[in-house]
Amino acid sequence: MAQPPAATPLSKADLRKHLLSARRALDAATRAAWDVAIGQHVLAWTEMAAVSALGVYWPLRDEPDLQAAYGELARRGVRLLLPVVVEKHAPLAFADWHIGEPMVKDGMGVAVPADLRLAARPPALLVPCLGYNRHGYRLGYGGGFYDRTLEALPRPRTVGVAYACQQAPFGDDPHDIALDCIVTEQGTTTPDART
C-alpha cells in the first residue's frame, strides 16, 4: 500500500483522509483474512493477560471486524462492554453487551445495546486505530474520546487494533496517550520507546 511521501509530512487531517482512503481500498477477501488473523491475536493476548472483562468496539468505517473473536471471548466467559458516547467532550462510558441483543445507534451513529446497562470502565480495552506510529500513539477520527477515557486513573490496559498498512509517521500531541501494544494481522507488537 502506498505510504504518503516522506519528504512532505501530511497534517493529521490529511493523514486521516489518506488512511481512510487506503483502508477503504482494501479488497473484501484481504480484509476478511486479516480480520480473522487479528481476532486470533486478540484471543491469544486476552488469554495471556488473563482478561476477564474487555472493552470492545463496534466496527465503523472499514475498521477490523472482530465479531467472531468477540463470540469466542463470550464463550470463554469474558465480559464484553461497548463504548458509549454520553457527552461530546467527555470520556467514553461503557455498557455491558451480550452478542445478539437488540442494538440502536447513539447520537454519534455508533451501535450500542438498546437496553443500555452502563457499567464501570473495564480493566482492558481494544482501541480501534485509523493509524498508529511506532511509539504506540494512535490516530483516531479526531474526537478525542479515547484520549479523555485513558486520562483517568487507574488506566486500563490498551490494545490498539489496526491493519499493519496503517502504521504511519506522525507526531504526538501533549494530550495523546500511547497504547500498551498494537495488534495487526501480523501479530502483537509493543511500541518502541520514544527517543
Side-chain angles (χ1 to χ4, degrees):
M1 178 167 305
Q3 292 293 322
T8 54
L10 297 176
S11 69
K12 282 193 176 178
D14 287 339
L15 184 57
R16 283 184 180 98
K17 289 177 191 172
H18 171 79
L19 290 168
L20 274 169
S21 176
R23 190 167 67 190
R24 194 175 303 117
L26 294 171
D27 68 83
T30 297
R31 185 190 320 276
W34 287 357
D35 290 352
V36 169
I38 291 169
Q40 291 301 312
H41 296 307
V42 166
L43 291 170
W45 180 85
T46 58
E47 189 169 332
M48 181 270 311
V51 171
S52 60
L54 181 66
V56 297
Y57 66 89
W58 196 267
L60 302 171
R61 299 181 182 182
D62 302 309
E63 291 171 341
D65 186 343
L66 305 182
Q67 300 289 329
Y70 298 165
E72 177 59 21
L73 287 167
R75 190 191 69 72
R76 294 179 183 181
V78 175
R79 180 179 169 211
L80 303 177
L81 298 98
L82 284 171
V84 179
V85 175
V86 290
E87 292 180 49
K88 190 169 183 176
H89 298 289
L92 293 166
F94 289 87
D96 276 310
W97 174 52
H98 301 288
I99 294 171
E101 73 177 289
M103 304 290 281
V104 296
K105 295 210 175 186
D106 69 9
M108 301 293 287
V110 179
V112 297
D115 177 17
L116 200 59
R117 301 169 308 279
L118 294 180
R121 183 184 62 193
L125 300 177
L126 297 183
V127 182
C129 302
L130 176 56
Y132 66 97
N133 67 21
R134 65 187 184 95
H135 300 296
Y137 288 94
R138 166 190 181 267
L139 186 67
Y141 301 115
F145 292 106
Y146 278 101
D147 292 320
R148 287 187 293 275
T149 302
L150 299 180
E151 287 174 344
L153 298 175
R155 185 178 177 276
R157 290 179 286 179
T158 53
V159 177
V161 177
Y163 299 122
C165 60
Q166 293 173 268
Q167 183 174 356
F170 60 88
D172 56 289
D173 292 322
H175 63 272
D176 290 339
I177 298 171
L179 302 170
D180 297 318
C181 63
I182 306 288
V183 173
T184 72
E185 72 280 5
Q186 296 176 359
T188 302
T189 58
T190 303
D192 293 344
R194 293 178 67 194
T195 56

